[in-house]
Amino acid sequence: MAEKKAGSIAVFDSGYGGLTVLNKIIQHLPDYDYIYLGDNARTPYGTRSFEVVYEYTLEAVKKLFDMGAHLVILACNTASAKALRNIQQKDLPGIDPDRRVLGVIRPSVELMDQLSITKHVGVLGTSGTIQSESYPIEINKLFPHIQVTQEACPMWVPLVENNEFNNGGADYFVKQHISNLLNNDPAIDTIVLGCTHYPLLLNKIKEQLPTHVNVVEQGDIVGESLKDYLSRHPEMDEKCAKGGNVKFYTTEQVSRFKQTAGIFFEGELNVEHVVL
Ligand code: DGL
């Protein structure tokens, strides 16, 4: 089944949020071809069970492989938390051991020791990501001396998806979760935005934080880490087409995707509907 023809790098998300990651990946690697798949018809994933997120994500990965991708980035934290390990370990060897699926959690986790002076780190994410405990598990595997405190922010994704992230209503929910997090551990000096949507709330988040607290956005980190991965894996790099094209696929209506995707992605949106 090993296919030699070069394909686009695929970026997958449950919906629109992964576009914040795609933006940054393109800034770091502008010469490659990309396909973006948003499972907008079944979003959100953040409130769904482990089994369902795994099943949906695997369907998407298989589709992206069928579309010619050799490398799939799960830009969604919830999918990275609940499906990535199973797909890498159980499914990929049977589907095609030469293809790769990478997530967004590991690259952020690797920076924690370097960024935190107090060694107290906070993680903000969807209920699914927080309940999975993926961040504390991964951080403590590498850095057992770091204390991790988590906070689920279930209202933040709907605020962004409904274009309310710049409005007054968002202040209430941002303040609520930032105070919960800092009350639970006042020594936190580094906070990971463990959800694709949260960079759009960055200004409001920073307004609630003391200036010494670092806020870690994933887009740049994932872009940088993908660049490094491709330079270390020339066999994968040559299977990634280079033409600077970006194509979008959605499981929802194309017109709806175009309307909302503009909040997250600057530039031309060439969109097609796809069924998983
Ligand atoms: N993309 C998801 C994440 O990063 C947030 C949206 C959802 O719940 O599906 O966790």
Side-chain angles (χ1 to χ4, degrees):
M1 149 117 186
E3 195 186 321
K4 295 282 170 281
K5 196 168 170 286
S8 304
I9 296 174
V11 177
F12 170 69
D13 184 47
S14 57
Y16 300 107
L19 294 168
T20 60
V21 178
L22 178 66
N23 274 327
K24 299 288 183 180
I25 291 179
I26 293 174
Q27 277 174 22
H28 285 270
L29 295 159
D31 299 333
Y32 291 76
D33 283 347
Y34 296 94
I35 45 179
Y36 179 90
L37 170 59
D39 191 6
N40 304 88
R42 302 191 293 195
T43 201
Y45 281 15
T47 46
R48 295 190 192 276
S49 67
F50 181 94
E51 287 73 19
V52 169
V53 172
Y54 168 50
E55 179 193 320
Y56 286 1
T57 306
L58 182 58
E59 281 173 8
V61 166
K62 285 181 175 167
K63 186 76 178 184
L64 290 162
F65 285 164
D66 286 346
M67 291 160 117
H70 296 267
L71 177 61
V72 176
I73 312 297
L74 301 185
C76 178
N77 279 269
T78 310
S80 297
K82 293 189 164 187
L84 180 63
R85 186 177 296 259
N86 264 350
I87 291 176
Q88 285 175 332
Q89 294 177 357
K90 276 184 23 198
D91 302 298
L92 260 187
I95 300 171
D96 182 347
D98 291 332
R99 299 196 194 224
R100 288 287 172 272
V101 182
L102 305 175
V104 287
I105 294 179
R106 180 80 187 197
S108 322
V109 160
E110 283 171 355
L111 292 175
M112 288 303 108
D113 197 44
Q114 184 181 321
L115 290 175
S116 174
I117 295 167
T118 61
K119 307 304 171 196
H120 287 246
V121 165
V123 177
L124 301 169
T126 63
S127 305
T129 297
I130 299 307
Q131 278 159 15
S132 76
E133 298 271 327
S134 291
Y135 274 94
I137 292 169
E138 293 297 324
I139 292 174
N140 288 142
K141 253 192 236 164
L142 295 181
F143 313 115
H145 55 285
I146 292 185
Q147 185 166 324
V148 185
T149 304
Q150 306 193 95
E151 172 75 10
C153 313
M155 288 302 289
W156 289 13
V157 167
L159 282 168
V160 172
E161 295 258 334
N162 291 293
N163 211 353
E164 290 288 337
F165 56 96
N166 274 328
N167 296 338
D171 291 313
Y172 173 83
F173 291 104
V174 169
K175 191 171 178 186
Q176 182 187 51
H177 291 298
I178 296 292
S179 343
N180 288 349
L181 183 70
L182 294 182
N183 286 339
N184 284 333
D185 184 358
I188 287 171
D189 70 349
T190 303
I191 294 180
V192 186
L193 302 187
C195 173
T196 50
H197 289 56
Y198 298 176
L200 282 102
L201 290 162
L202 186 64
N203 290 339
K204 293 203 180 293
I205 293 168
K206 283 190 169 162
E207 277 167 25
Q208 301 300 329
L209 288 171
T211 46
H212 72 275
V213 177
N214 300 310
V215 182
V216 181
E217 286 183 80
Q218 293 178 316
D220 270 325
I221 295 170
V222 173
E224 192 59 52
S225 140
L226 181 59
K227 194 171 178 179
D228 176 58
Y229 175 85
L230 290 173
S231 72
R232 286 184 293 107
H233 294 88
E235 76 293 349
M236 178 54 80
D237 187 63
E238 68 191 27
K239 287 187 223 155
C240 296
K242 287 142 195 105
N245 303 304
V246 191
K247 178 110 202 239
F248 299 85
Y249 295 88
T250 174
T251 53
E252 248 293 350
Q253 269 183 334
V254 168
S255 55
R256 280 181 79 163
F257 184 88
K258 281 189 171 171
Q259 216 174 18
T260 307
I263 304 172
F264 299 83
F265 189 83
E266 299 144 14
E268 182 75 15
L269 292 171
N270 176 5
V271 192
E272 248 179 65
H273 178 252
V274 81
V275 177
L276 295 183

